[in-house]
Amino acid sequence: MRTLLVSAIALLAVTHADGQTGYLQPPKAVADVLAAPPAPDVSVSPARDRVLIVQKDRYPPITELAEPMLKLAGLRINPRTNGKSKADRVSNLLLVTLDGTKLAVPMEVGIRFGTPRWSPDGKRFAVLGTYDKGISVWVCDVATARIAPIPGVVVNAAIGTPLQWATADELLVQTIPTDRGPMPTAPPAPPGPVVQESTGKAGPVRTLQDLLQNAHDEALFAYYCTSQLAYVRVDSGRVRPVGAPAIVSACDVSPDGNHVLLTRVNRPFSYLHSYGSFPKTVEVRDRTGKVVTTVTDNPLQDRLPIEGVITGPRSVQWIPTAPAGLFWIEALDGGDPRVKAEARDAVVVLPTLDASPTKAITLTHRYAALSTAVGIGFFADGKRVLVKDYDRERKWSRTMLAELTAGGKPKVLFERSTQDLYGNPGLPLTRPLSNGQRVLHEIDGQLVLSGLGASPTGERPFLRLHRIADGNTVTLFESPATAYHKVAAVLDDPRKALLIDRESPTEPPHTVLRLAHAGGFKEFKLTEGRDPAPALRKAARQIVTTKRADGTAINFTLHLPPGHATGQKLPAVFYAYPTEFADADVAGQVKGSPFRFTSPSGYSHLFFLTQGYAVMEVSMPVVGPPASANDTFVEQLAANARAAIEKGAELGAVDPARVGVMGHSYGAFMTANLLAHSDLFRAGIARSGAYNRTLTPFGFQNERRTFWEAPDVYGKMSPFNFAHRINEPLLLIHGAADDNPGTFPVQSERLYQAVRGNGGTCRLVLLPHEAHGYEARESVGHVLAEQIAWFDRHVKAAGPRK
């Protein structure tokens, strides 16, 4: 495929356009930043004796996104490779020991490597390698940095967990069945109509994309998602199948390495739901593939209430401190959050596979995961846990200490509004066991907590010890007041060895190793920070707080371009994303820090700094009870915007007559509403949004009510209904292959037609092969060129308002 590149200047001459154009190039100052590599990731060995520095390519070429793609049951599959259509693109791997010795890992040309996975003992790592016609398993010996593929192992990475360590010498791999046969072919003509029927029971469903459409799609889904689980020895390459092939949507090896907890997807499939709602069996198999126990058989989950959960076992996981014990969650309220109940969930424990399950902990509110990586946090003794519940009516969470004994009453350690940034005590960290499982990091009866340290002056990340007995804390680390330092990893004892990510307004992000030494610390850099935009070092940023007319506090980060003179009012870019708050007291809390390194990437609004604009990143609180906050959504958006613009003008930095508004997804929805219901802005840019809420009738974002329960709210919040009032120029950008629930490309197409049909100024850009976020370097460059040209024409060059 030949890619056309066109100067952004050409766009300025285009006032009416229909058809396909070449890709535009952004200004050179922007293109130079895009060409810079991203900061590398740093991964710590479980042995805590070395780290792996992982460099990734940020922007794939459009030819890569244009590869064949099947959209099946919520998945996007590349039929050539039998993997996901998008994957990590690791370009460089470097091993660094704690004494500073570096070993580069040679990378095979023509292979797209994924994210490495450490063996439990830290002596190896495994990684998937994607080539033109498949996916292979590569293993690296970290002592020599030698990496090689395991011959004959072809991976199915379309669904589930395709690769994990079972023991220090053995992998569990989802492989392609050897007798799979050829891909199902589409019939020359439809065998008949597609029929769906409802039996009179309510079954609300959010607006999903990439669903199955017909019997051929069903056959393709089964073909590409069926895998053969197998144990693979990394030394000999010996492959031992585990049971018969199945559609395995999840699998996890037991702590003793002798069992597999797996979830099988069963028929019948659904044309209204993604595979996550399909019938499933959760079971435990031994090494021969024999089913040891079946935890649950779930039917098609097509009758769940909005924000409801399934009845029966869910979130089934291994107990990390037992050889092969399980825990899971069960609803006590029928899974319906609208039902009044004294208790909503229970933690159920199966200590051994031949035991009977016991209801160990009762939760007043709905169970919530402790963090994105940990569901329930187990202590190393296997008797105590940290468990969390969530009250959706108050947006309130509690973190509790509990004993795993029948009827044990949890003790609350922390409770707060989930939106109270200032009161966040931090997340409990975990540490690895020798078998690869993880338990809570506890030192002398103290939890190790890591947090962002939000405050009215900005974030100051911290690391603390929290004594469980009395709640006393000791701060081990806190970011300095005029920089942004954050603990990236704890190496064994947090008092002795830390990995720290560092940056400041003038110091590019980099990672250092800090080791206790002679009563103090010694440090050395693991990665070197690079400044992709030296001119932006003279840009300034500050956190600004103000209040809207009703007294609700809001804040914004004000970025000023290099060379800005005090009192000089600039054209401004107003960027925001609305957030619902149950409590006005926390709605105005400050997020972020004024002491971070300004380095835009992707299609960021911050690139406008290179073009002489001020940039406002604005909090957009929508305050009210969760069940009805959206009743005044439009009014609150306008009040927030007016207060921020007036404050920016008061500071002498923002020209209120030259402000453009922009946002992505729900921020795009906000943008169109602000143009329709206010005259605060000269133009807008809306990316990948939804604008007609009747097309998302069973709720959206945090709206729980259906269209039929709140038709006036849905109508009032839909800027499509007010397209005749959008009298400022609007640029609509959308990925032609958007995969996000509700934000179908037709949303932008129809709004464009509505604005155009009513005499408004509007431009629609559909990006080939791009999803909800845009990835290809050609697409990213084009979006930036479109955005800058649009605001240059309609905001920067705008004359007095008529």
Side-chain angles (χ1 to χ4, degrees):
M1 177 182 295
R2 186 170 66 93
T3 301
L4 296 176
L5 295 175
V6 182
S7 170
I9 297 174
L11 176 64
L12 295 174
V14 178
T15 55
H16 300 282
D18 292 290
Q20 191 165 22
T21 69
Y23 285 101
L24 301 174
Q25 290 181 317
K28 185 177 184 304
V30 174
D32 289 346
V33 178
L34 289 178
D41 298 330
V42 179
S43 176
V44 181
S45 161
R48 298 308 204 236
D49 60 349
R50 68 192 72 216
V51 300
L52 181 63
I53 298 174
V54 182
Q55 184 69 59
K56 296 180 180 179
D57 288 338
R58 182 177 277 159
Y59 310 114
I62 191 65
T63 52
E64 192 171 307
L65 268 66
E67 291 178 2
M69 178 174 65
L70 299 173
K71 302 176 182 180
L72 302 169
L75 296 170
R76 294 191 164 185
I77 300 169
N78 185 331
R80 291 179 181 170
T81 64
N82 215 120
K84 289 184 170 59
S85 62
K86 297 178 183 177
D88 287 339
R89 303 172 77 254
V90 174
S91 58
N92 191 43
L93 295 170
L94 181 68
L95 288 159
V96 183
T97 60
L98 298 192
D99 64 3
T101 302
K102 297 181 179 180
L103 280 176
V105 179
M107 308 290 284
E108 185 82 11
V109 176
I111 302 293
R112 294 198 301 242
F113 287 99
T115 300
R117 295 174 178 266
W118 288 101
S119 63
D121 61 4
K123 294 181 179 180
R124 304 180 177 97
F125 66 79
V127 63
L128 295 179
T130 301
Y131 54 99
D132 289 344
K133 297 181 179 180
I135 302 174
S136 53
V137 177
W138 294 64
V139 177
C140 178
D141 181 335
V142 301
T144 63
R146 181 181 179 275
I147 188 170
I150 300 179
V153 177
V154 183
V155 179
N156 184 339
I159 190 174
T161 306
L163 175 70
Q164 63 185 289
W165 288 93
T167 66
D169 304 305
E170 201 169 29
L171 293 162
L172 182 69
V173 184
Q174 292 178 186
T175 66
I176 293 178
T178 55
D179 58 352
R180 182 169 72 169
M183 176 188 75
T185 56
V194 174
V195 178
Q196 300 183 62
E197 182 177 355
S198 177
T199 58
K201 295 181 180 180
V205 60
R206 293 292 175 105
T207 310
L208 304 174
Q209 304 206 50
D210 299 345
L211 302 180
L212 300 179
Q213 301 293 318
N214 50 48
H216 181 57
D217 278 359
E218 292 189 56
L220 290 172
F221 174 74
Y223 178 83
Y224 283 105
C225 292
T226 297
S227 61
Q228 173 65 66
L229 273 182
Y231 286 101
V232 179
R233 293 283 305 185
V234 297
D235 48 6
S236 64
R238 186 184 67 178
V239 177
R240 294 179 55 188
V242 181
I247 301 176
V248 179
S249 63
C251 60
D252 190 21
V253 179
S254 62
D256 66 4
N258 293 322
H259 298 84
V260 178
L261 172 66
L262 65 88
T263 301
R264 289 189 289 110
V265 176
N266 306 316
R267 292 180 182 270
F269 304 147
S270 170
Y271 292 5
L272 284 178
H273 297 265
S274 64
Y275 78 92
S277 299
F278 289 1
K280 291 187 181 69
T281 299
V282 181
E283 62 193 15
V284 176
R285 295 185 183 182
D286 63 16
R287 279 182 166 267
T288 68
K290 177 184 175 182
V291 177
V292 177
T293 187
T294 298
V295 179
T296 185
D297 265 310
N298 293 325
L300 176 67
Q301 300 300 316
D302 62 344
R303 304 295 178 186
L304 287 182
I306 295 173
E307 296 187 359
V309 297
I310 65 172
T311 57
R314 71 180 195 275
S315 300
V316 185
Q317 299 173 56
W318 292 113
I319 298 173
T321 55
L326 297 170
F327 73 90
W328 61 80
I329 313 300
E330 288 192 23
L332 302 177
D333 60 356
D336 191 342
R338 301 167 299 181
V339 171
K340 293 187 180 298
E342 292 184 1
R344 296 213 175 269
D345 275 334
V347 180
V348 179
V349 174
L350 187 73
T352 61
L353 297 178
D354 57 358
S356 298
T358 301
K359 188 185 296 182
I361 305 169
T362 300
L363 300 176
T364 303
H365 304 294
R366 187 69 73 212
Y367 159 81
L370 200 61
S371 68
T372 55
V374 179
I376 290 178
F378 280 76
F379 288 84
D381 59 18
K383 299 176 182 178
R384 299 168 298 146
V385 297
L386 288 186
V387 63
K388 185 174 170 182
D389 70 2
Y390 172 71
D391 179 359
R392 76 168 194 156
E393 298 304 325
R394 300 171 61 202
K395 295 193 174 183
W396 194 265
S397 71
R398 304 184 302 168
T399 301
M400 297 166 285
L401 174 70
E403 298 277 346
L404 282 183
T405 56
K409 186 176 181 180
K411 171 190 174 184
V412 176
L413 294 185
F414 315 115
E415 63 175 322
R416 65 180 182 94
S417 163
T418 56
Q419 298 176 313
D420 179 10
L421 305 177
Y422 299 168
N424 190 342
L427 291 175
L429 299 186
T430 61
R431 63 177 178 85
L433 299 176
S434 59
N435 58 6
Q437 301 291 318
R438 301 190 72 89
V439 295
L440 292 168
H441 201 150
E442 183 186 19
I443 299 174
D444 301 328
Q446 301 171 98
L447 290 168
V448 182
L449 303 178
S450 177
L452 292 178
S455 75
T457 58
E459 295 171 356
R460 293 183 64 185
F462 63 80
L463 190 72
R464 292 177 183 151
L465 295 179
H466 175 93
R467 194 155 60 205
I468 298 170
D470 56 17
N472 287 338
T473 62
V474 175
T475 298
L476 301 178
F477 169 88
E478 185 176 35
S479 177
T482 57
Y484 192 86
H485 296 179
K486 186 176 185 294
V487 173
V490 173
L491 304 183
D492 195 22
D493 190 328
R495 296 165 294 193
K496 298 179 180 178
L498 297 174
L499 282 187
I500 302 172
D501 289 336
R502 290 183 172 174
E503 61 182 280
S504 74
T506 58
E507 186 179 30
H510 61 281
T511 302
V512 302
L513 173 63
R514 188 175 84 168
L515 300 173
H517 178 72
F521 295 97
K522 63 177 182 180
E523 298 179 347
F524 67 87
K525 283 188 176 182
L526 292 175
T527 63
E528 291 289 339
R530 299 177 183 175
D531 188 350
L536 288 182
R537 283 332 104 227
K538 295 181 180 179
R541 77 161 78 181
Q542 66 181 109
I543 292 176
V544 180
T545 58
T546 188
K547 290 184 178 181
R548 65 191 196 192
D550 65 359
T552 300
I554 67 168
N555 64 81
F556 60 93
T557 300
L558 177 62
H559 299 262
L560 297 174
H564 173 256
T566 302
Q568 178 189 11
K569 291 188 175 183
L570 300 172
V573 174
F574 182 109
Y575 184 87
Y577 189 95
T579 303
E580 295 85 353
F581 288 87
D583 183 354
D585 290 339
V586 300
Q589 290 187 353
V590 171
K591 295 174 66 175
S593 166
F595 300 109
R596 301 201 69 167
F597 186 77
T598 300
S599 181
S601 62
Y603 36 90
S604 170
H605 50 281
L606 293 178
F607 278 108
F608 279 99
L609 291 172
T610 68
Q611 307 301 305
Y613 289 79
V615 176
M616 305 169 68
E617 296 174 315
V618 186
S619 69
M620 291 292 277
V622 178
V623 182
S628 60
N630 282 336
D631 290 357
T632 55
F633 180 83
V634 170
E635 293 85 351
Q636 293 197 55
L637 290 187
N640 293 330
R642 183 173 291 106
I645 292 172
E646 289 176 353
K647 187 65 175 180
E650 178 188 319
L651 294 173
V654 172
D655 180 354
R658 292 188 297 161
V659 182
V661 60
M662 66 183 297
H664 191 92
S665 193
Y666 207 52
F669 174 63
M670 170 208 73
T671 295
N673 266 305
L674 283 169
L675 294 186
H677 297 287
S678 79
D679 289 311
L680 296 168
F681 302 98
R682 301 308 297 268
I685 299 172
R687 299 188 310 242
S688 298
Y691 310 104
N692 184 347
R693 284 305 171 190
T694 66
L695 300 180
T696 56
F698 287 105
F700 55 90
Q701 205 73 4
N702 289 314
E703 178 55 62
R704 305 171 181 170
R705 297 166 293 185
T706 69
F707 166 75
W708 299 274
E709 292 170 327
D712 292 343
V713 173
Y714 275 66
K716 183 179 177 181
M717 291 180 69
S718 296
F720 177 84
N721 294 344
F722 302 92
H724 60 296
R725 296 186 186 176
I726 298 178
N727 51 16
E728 296 87 7
L730 174 60
L731 171 62
L732 294 166
I733 302 175
H734 217 115
D738 195 318
D739 55 349
N740 186 59
T743 54
F744 292 79
V746 71
Q747 291 271 7
S748 288
E749 293 171 334
R750 293 295 179 266
L751 182 60
Y752 168 73
Q753 293 173 7
V755 174
R756 181 181 183 275
N758 280 282
T761 300
C762 196
R763 180 178 175 89
L764 172 64
V765 178
L766 293 176
L767 301 168
H769 307 296
E770 293 291 354
H772 193 58
Y774 322 137
E775 292 188 89
R777 65 173 69 103
E778 294 88 348
S779 301
V780 169
H782 184 94
V783 169
L784 289 168
E786 291 270 5
Q787 292 179 163
I788 291 169
W790 192 256
F791 275 179
D792 277 357
R793 193 196 325 175
H794 298 295
V795 176
K796 182 184 284 186
R801 284 185 179 274
K802 296 180 181 179

